[in-house]
Amino acid sequence: QVQLVESGGGLVQPGGSLRLSCAASGSINSIYAMGWHRQAPGKQRELVAVVTRGGSTNYADSVKGRFTISRDNAKNTVYLQMNSLKPDDTAVYYCYGNFIANWGTRAHDYWGQGTQVTVSS
């Protein structure tokens, strides 16, 4: 009933930019946090950026100064603007949400299906 759908991934040259979008839909009561994690082949999934209900943001050290997370609360959508992309940014990027569903009383984690970002010349 609750879905997170990512879009905006693709192939880009080093130094280029991409913007990822993630839209949450379904029976959502409250959103406590939304953001992005990524996972490269053979590596553990890592946090990229998260924005909380109160507007606080957290970024991985490797993306600070290059990536910016933002949100459109009216659309339950979060964005990740990725600039100055590097080959090491190549990964599957997963949208993350911490929500209270309409039928629930406590927040739970939800994940999107992932979108591929490839940085290569």
Side-chain angles (χ1 to χ4, degrees):
Q1 297 185 47
V2 177
Q3 288 186 307
L4 296 172
V5 180
E6 303 103 327
S7 63
L11 175 64
V12 65
Q13 293 183 330
S17 298
L18 287 173
R19 190 178 76 151
L20 306 182
S21 299
C22 174
S25 63
S27 302
I28 299 171
N29 187 313
S30 301
I31 298 177
Y32 280 81
M34 290 186 70
W36 299 89
H37 293 63
R38 68 185 181 187
Q39 187 168 22
K43 297 184 179 180
Q44 293 183 321
R45 187 176 298 190
E46 64 175 349
L47 180 144
V48 178
V50 171
V51 59
T52 69
R53 181 179 179 180
S56 299
T57 57
N58 294 287
Y59 294 93
D61 288 341
S62 60
V63 307
K64 288 180 179 177
R66 299 188 297 120
F67 292 10
T68 302
I69 189 168
S70 60
R71 63 183 179 180
D72 184 336
N73 290 335
K75 297 181 179 180
N76 288 342
T77 299
V78 65
Y79 306 93
L80 185 68
Q81 179 66 46
M82 304 186 294
N83 298 326
S84 301
L85 283 162
K86 304 175 181 179
D88 285 348
D89 295 319
T90 296
V92 177
Y93 285 69
Y94 295 93
C95 185
Y96 160 81
N98 188 244
F99 307 146
I100 298 177
N102 285 340
W103 63 86
T105 58
R106 62 180 64 187
H108 297 274
D109 291 341
Y110 298 87
W111 295 92
Q113 80 285 356
T115 185
Q116 178 70 46
V117 172
T118 302
V119 184
S120 177
S121 60

